[in-house]
Amino acid sequence: SEEMLRRKHADNSTMSADKRKAFIDKWKSDNVELLREQLGPKDVGVVQFLHGIFLTPCFSQATVPKLQRLIMSDACHLNFGKYTLFLCYGVTANANMFPIGFAIIFGNENAVSWKECWSFVANIHPCLNQMDVTIVTDQDKGQQSAIRDVMKLAGQFHCSFHRRQNIIKMCGNKLGNRVYSAMWTYNCLVEC
């Protein structure tokens, strides 16, 4: 995927399916040692499977307790394999985003994967499981249950951007210029 992106940015070219397969096969043969080291030898019959990668910056443990008590979290699909990127970040005193913890987990966004992610975050940053911490989410059901199970003391709040998108999807009137429409009412409430 990196090579395809490089080509697209360089001269807006793409690869045909045959060229893409040939490129991937060549990459596999050129990197056979790396693949054996990471996944184990293929001929032994025991192939290791990478379930996920969990990471947090080394400086975050000293910084997270000093962040504002507002944490945001979401997930997105990645362009390779069937992996999902889980993100958790906080807000500094200067209103900048600060990385708290990330996970790349095989599979879709669901309660099990969110529980793994939040368990990792809670283990690294136990100070986030407090009553004065609010976690803002896109109201994903799996994430909501994981937060209830793992971050028992923290509060949950629905992201205003995602709430706005839901209103537009369900009720229309994107600008909210029709008096007494759902978006008009929501805009009035937000202004309060």
Side-chain angles (χ1 to χ4, degrees), residues 2 22 54 58 80 91 103 115-116 151 162 182 192:
E2 288 177 0
F54 296 80
C58 62
F80 59 90
V91 181
K115 191 167 185 177
E116 286 180 296
M151 308 296 276
H162 288 92
C192 290

Side-chain angles (χ1 to χ4, degrees), residues 63-64 66-72 89-100:
T63 308
V64 166
K66 296 176 175 62
L67 293 176
Q68 293 183 25
R69 309 308 279 166
L70 181 70
I71 307 304
M72 288 154 286
Y89 48 94
V91 181
T92 67
N94 294 332
N96 294 318
M97 290 180 3
F98 184 86
I100 291 176

Side-chain angles (χ1 to χ4, degrees), residues 129-143:
N129 189 18
Q130 302 292 327
M131 291 181 75
D132 66 338
V133 171
T134 301
I135 301 171
V136 178
T137 72
D138 64 354
Q139 211 172 19
D140 176 80
K141 302 294 185 233
Q143 180 170 201

Side-chain angles (χ1 to χ4, degrees), residues 16-27:
S16 68
D18 293 335
K19 284 183 180 178
R20 192 167 42 247
K21 183 177 179 345
F23 178 82
I24 291 170
D25 289 343
K26 181 178 180 327
W27 185 89

